[in-house]
């Protein structure tokens, strides 16, 4: 509850900053949406009646959707390590055998 009260207090104290950030966010979102529509709509029209081209377009879109997930995974690997249990935060550590 304290965090919510702090956030509300900040919003009341800084309405201009908040509205500017919301405007920036909306602009970035709309530009991304416009670029996506500009690419996807003509591509959809082109492959609408071509099954092989449609399969290729769907495969390409699926591959492109994977790239951001791989980037997040690569960014988190040094922090979390590989496996079911995360590695220790102190590296190299001498208190457990998991990190060796």
């Amino acid at each position: 509850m304290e965090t919510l009260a702090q956030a509300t207090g900040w919003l009341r104290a800084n309405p201009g900053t908040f509205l500017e950030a919301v405007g920036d966010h909306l602009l970035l979102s709309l530009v991304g949406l416009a670029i996506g529509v500009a690419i996807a709509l003509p591509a959809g029209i082109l492959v609408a009646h071509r099954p092989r081209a449609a399969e290729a377009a769907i495969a390409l879109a699926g591959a492109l959707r994977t790239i951001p997930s791989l980037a997040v995974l690569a960014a988190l690997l040094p922090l979390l390590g590989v496996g079911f249990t995360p590695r220790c935060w102190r590296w190299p550590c001498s208190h457990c055998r998991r990190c060796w």
Side-chain angles (χ1 to χ4, degrees):
M1 264 337 238
E2 182 179 331
T3 304
L4 184 58
Q6 289 174 346
T8 305
W10 185 88
L11 285 173
R12 287 186 184 138
N14 303 295
T17 304
F18 176 71
L19 290 176
E20 183 180 345
V22 168
D24 289 345
H25 174 74
L26 288 175
L27 179 63
L28 285 170
S29 298
L30 290 175
V31 167
L33 180 64
I35 291 171
V37 168
I39 293 170
L41 192 61
I45 292 170
L46 285 174
V47 302
H49 298 290
R50 297 178 181 93
R52 286 187 186 162
E55 288 178 21
I58 290 170
L60 178 64
L64 291 176
R65 285 184 60 202
T66 304
I67 292 171
S69 299
L70 291 175
V72 169
L73 179 64
L76 289 178
L77 273 177
L79 294 175
L80 300 177
V82 179
F84 291 111
T85 57
R87 75 172 203 207
C88 292
W89 293 106
R90 288 184 271 157
W91 182 259
C93 79
S94 58
H95 68 280
C96 76
R97 294 182 177 263
R98 237 184 336 177
C99 299
W100 304 357

